[in-house]
Amino acid sequence: QVQLVESGGGLVQAGDSLRLSCAASGRTFSRYSAGWFRQAPGKEREFVAAIRWSGGSTYYADSVKGRFTISRDNAKNTVYLQMNSLKPEDTAAYSCAAALTDWGLHNPGAYGYWGQGTQVTVSS
């Protein structure tokens, strides 16, 4: 069992930066791949970024590539999402998730554990 708690969301202006954190407790988090997803009102959940537990390879949605960076600190059992050059269309509830697999990390179905989410609102 893994418990995930996100933090770092807030209200910012377009062009600003935010760093989201996802703190994990429970089993050895270093053995889990991690991902960030977001969901805006009236829209489906969308993949944002993921990082493999083995090797640390990272993956990004095209919409955030070059602006967002996912990283992890296994010593702190924490995954981060650094978001730069934020746009109003980035406004959503952001959730982190943990998976025991290295594959299909863009798919929400790959993840067995989810946090409760943190709201990011970007004003124009």
Side-chain angles (χ1 to χ4, degrees), residues 3-124:
Q3 294 80 41
L4 305 172
V5 179
E6 303 94 334
S7 61
L11 172 62
V12 296
Q13 292 186 332
D16 285 350
S17 298
L18 276 177
R19 189 177 79 159
L20 305 183
S21 298
C22 174
S25 59
R27 292 188 176 181
T28 305
F29 189 56
S30 60
R31 294 290 188 177
Y32 289 78
S33 296
W36 286 95
F37 290 79
R38 67 187 182 187
Q39 188 167 20
K43 295 188 176 182
E44 293 188 353
R45 181 182 289 170
E46 176 188 22
F47 168 76
V48 176
I51 185 166
R52 285 184 168 183
W53 76 266
S54 61
S57 297
T58 57
Y59 307 91
Y60 298 94
D62 287 343
S63 59
V64 306
K65 201 170 293 183
R67 299 188 298 123
F68 290 12
T69 302
I70 187 171
S71 61
R72 66 191 302 162
D73 185 338
N74 288 333
K76 296 183 178 180
N77 280 353
T78 302
V79 174
Y80 304 98
L81 185 67
Q82 177 67 43
M83 305 186 295
N84 299 329
S85 303
L86 282 162
K87 304 175 181 179
E89 50 264 44
D90 294 319
T91 295
Y94 285 70
S95 299
C96 69
L100 279 171
T101 180
D102 260 3
W103 303 100
L105 295 178
H106 65 287
N107 185 347
Y111 299 84
Y113 304 97
W114 291 83
Q116 83 289 352
T118 185
Q119 180 66 35
V120 172
T121 303
V122 184
S123 63
S124 58

